[in-house]
């Protein structure tokens, strides 16, 4: 899985694209496949053996009913048979490739990295955590700005009409980055589904925000009419992936389509509206680094100040 550094537009679509690449050169290697198959039968790769290939840590058979298995919180701390076999076979195969002078290849969509402190991809986890901190800072500073620094209406309501949308966006973004960090630390079926489901939720809601903001939709009824079909579509997509079939190809098409749509909406709107912070929009739609998350929230701050100033002038 590629490192996930930033959020709003092209990033999540790119993540879904990466998710669509379920097969890699490494896991298609016959030698690697044979190694994993033999490991699952014998429980060993060379001198390294995995007790979970036949029994759980307390001696229970893996074929026992679910209610006799170890609790999830205990399993979480250990690697199961397949994960252990794949990891050890990957290391052995990459040592053989290095000896032969070949370059590293990906296995199951990931580069052959060594685990650190039980974490599969420590660099990706660190970047996700850092991006989460940036998102949290941007969201909190936005809340303080619109509620305590900018002028308020006589009824103590904010002039900025899109505050609720950005709060939901911030919450979904932080939720996505949290599960991204969890997934990169431990790649199992549950964390993969939570990661991709939260990613789909972010990109879907980001599309809603782009439409409502770009077309200056202020009527609650119209907002519902715009949001309801998209929310229903994204919800159905997530339920399909989790409850019926985790289709990487379908996920790829859905995420890329929604990602490209909102990139076009934001880009064109920034140019047509002559927004004073339009350059930040263009940087965000083209960038792929952690500072871009900071720039995106900076644009949100600027937009709230811009709209508040404009509405104050109209009120006078």
């Amino acid at each position: 899985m590629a490192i996930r550094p930033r959020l709003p537009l092209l990033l999540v679509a790119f993540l879904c694209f990466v998710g669509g690449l379920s097969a890699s050169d490494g896991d298609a290697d016959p030698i690697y496949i044979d190694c994993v198959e033999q490991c699952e039968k014998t429980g060993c790769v060379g001198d390294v053996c995995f007790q979970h290939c036949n029994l759980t840590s307390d001696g229970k058979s893996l074929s026992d009913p679910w209610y006799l298995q170890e609790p999830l919180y205990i399993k979480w701390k250990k690697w199961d048979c397949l994960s252990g076999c794949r990891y050890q076979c990957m290391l052995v195969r990459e040592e053989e490739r290095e000896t032969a002078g070949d370059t590293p290849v990906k296995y199951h969509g990931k580069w052959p990295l060594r685990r650190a402190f039980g974490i599969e991809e420590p660099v990706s986890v660190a970047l996700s955590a850092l991006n989460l901190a940036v998102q949290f800072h941007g969201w909190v500073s936005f809340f303080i700005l619109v509620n305590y620094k900018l002028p308020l209406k006589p009824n103590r309501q904010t002039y900025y009409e899109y505050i609720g949308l950005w709060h939901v966006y911030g919450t979904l973004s932080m939720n996505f980055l949290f599960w991204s960090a969890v997934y990169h630390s431990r790649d199992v079926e549950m964390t993969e589904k939570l990661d991709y489901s939260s990613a789909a939720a972010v990109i879907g809601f980001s599309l809603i925000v782009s439409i409502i903001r770009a077309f200056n939709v202020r009527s609650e009824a119209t907002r519902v009419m715009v949001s309801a079909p998209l929310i229903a579509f994204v919800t159905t997509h997530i339920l399909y992936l989790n409850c019926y079939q985790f289709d990487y190809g379908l996920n790829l098409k859905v995420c890329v389509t929604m990602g490209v749509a909102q990139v076009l909406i934001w880009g064109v709107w920034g140019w047509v509206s002559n927004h004073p912070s339009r350059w930040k929009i263009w940087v965000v739609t083209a960038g792929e680094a952690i500072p871009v998350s900071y720039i995106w929230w900076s644009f949100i701050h600027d937009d709230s100040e811009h709209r508040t100033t404009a509405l104050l002038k109209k009120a006078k």
Side-chain angles (χ1 to χ4, degrees):
M1 181 65 61
I3 293 174
R4 307 181 174 200
R6 76 155 177 105
L7 236 329
L9 308 175
L10 290 178
L11 167 76
V12 184
F14 176 72
L15 302 183
C16 297
F17 170 76
V18 174
L21 305 178
S22 55
S24 305
D25 291 339
D27 49 274
D29 183 352
I31 299 177
Y32 169 80
I33 295 174
D34 182 66
C35 175
V36 174
E37 291 177 350
Q38 291 300 317
C39 175
E40 288 186 292
K41 294 177 182 178
T42 64
C44 298
V45 177
D47 297 332
V48 180
C49 295
F50 307 97
Q51 63 173 341
H52 298 295
C53 285
N54 299 303
L55 300 173
T56 62
S57 59
D58 59 356
K60 295 176 182 176
S61 172
L62 291 176
S63 60
D64 285 345
W66 63 269
Y67 50 83
L68 295 179
Q69 296 289 326
E70 292 176 321
L72 182 61
Y73 71 90
I74 295 179
K75 291 182 178 180
W76 186 270
K77 297 186 292 185
K78 300 184 290 289
W79 298 102
D80 59 20
C81 177
L82 180 59
S83 298
C85 288
R86 284 179 173 180
Y87 177 69
Q88 195 61 34
C89 287
M90 176 194 73
L91 294 181
V92 171
R93 186 68 185 113
E94 281 304 302
E95 288 178 359
E96 295 173 350
R97 291 178 58 83
E98 184 179 2
T99 302
D102 297 329
T103 57
V105 294
K106 288 184 177 181
Y107 294 80
H108 305 283
K110 299 181 179 182
W111 289 108
L113 302 175
R114 289 185 177 272
R115 294 169 181 165
F117 306 104
I119 298 175
E120 286 188 336
E121 298 177 85
V123 175
S124 295
V125 172
L127 288 173
S128 293
L130 180 58
N131 205 348
L132 176 60
V134 172
Q135 291 288 331
F136 179 74
H137 174 269
W139 173 65
V140 170
S141 60
F142 170 70
F143 177 84
I144 294 173
L145 173 67
V146 295
N147 287 284
Y148 298 102
K149 294 184 178 181
L150 294 179
L152 299 175
K153 296 178 181 178
N155 60 0
R156 305 300 296 172
Q157 296 294 317
T158 63
Y159 282 96
Y160 189 55
E161 315 99 315
Y162 309 102
I163 180 173
L165 293 172
W166 290 121
H167 282 324
V168 176
Y169 166 80
T171 302
L172 290 176
S173 297
M174 290 183 287
N175 175 70
F176 160 67
L177 286 166
F178 171 79
W179 288 116
S180 174
V182 172
Y183 172 66
H184 282 303
S185 65
R186 187 68 186 273
D187 180 1
V188 296
E189 181 182 1
M190 182 182 70
T191 58
E192 181 182 40
K193 287 183 176 181
L194 286 168
D195 179 51
Y196 284 108
S197 296
S198 58
V202 171
I203 196 172
F205 192 78
S206 296
L207 178 58
I208 292 173
V209 174
S210 67
I211 294 172
I212 292 177
R213 180 64 189 96
F215 292 94
N216 199 24
V217 179
R218 286 175 284 184
S219 167
E220 290 298 328
T222 307
R223 288 187 178 188
V224 171
M225 292 175 62
V226 171
S227 304
L230 288 172
I231 292 175
F233 172 76
V234 174
T235 302
T236 302
H237 175 65
I238 292 173
L239 290 173
Y240 177 87
L241 293 178
N242 286 274
C243 302
Y244 182 70
Q245 180 183 3
F246 202 83
D247 191 328
Y248 289 99
L250 175 64
N251 194 46
L252 163 66
K253 295 174 183 177
V254 170
C255 290
V256 168
T257 300
M258 292 193 297
V260 170
Q262 61 186 285
V263 165
L264 292 175
I265 291 172
W266 281 119
V268 173
W269 175 76
W271 177 68
V272 172
S273 67
N274 201 30
H275 195 282
S277 297
R278 58 188 178 278
W279 67 270
K280 294 181 180 180
I281 298 176
W282 298 332
V283 169
V284 168
T285 56
E288 292 224 13
I290 285 178
V292 176
S293 295
Y294 178 83
I295 295 174
W296 182 242
W297 276 106
S298 175
F299 160 73
I300 297 171
H301 292 187
D302 293 348
D303 188 51
S304 63
E305 293 176 341
H306 174 66
R307 285 295 301 164
T308 299
T309 302
L311 291 173
L312 279 172
K313 288 181 178 178
K314 288 183 179 180
K316 293 178 181 179

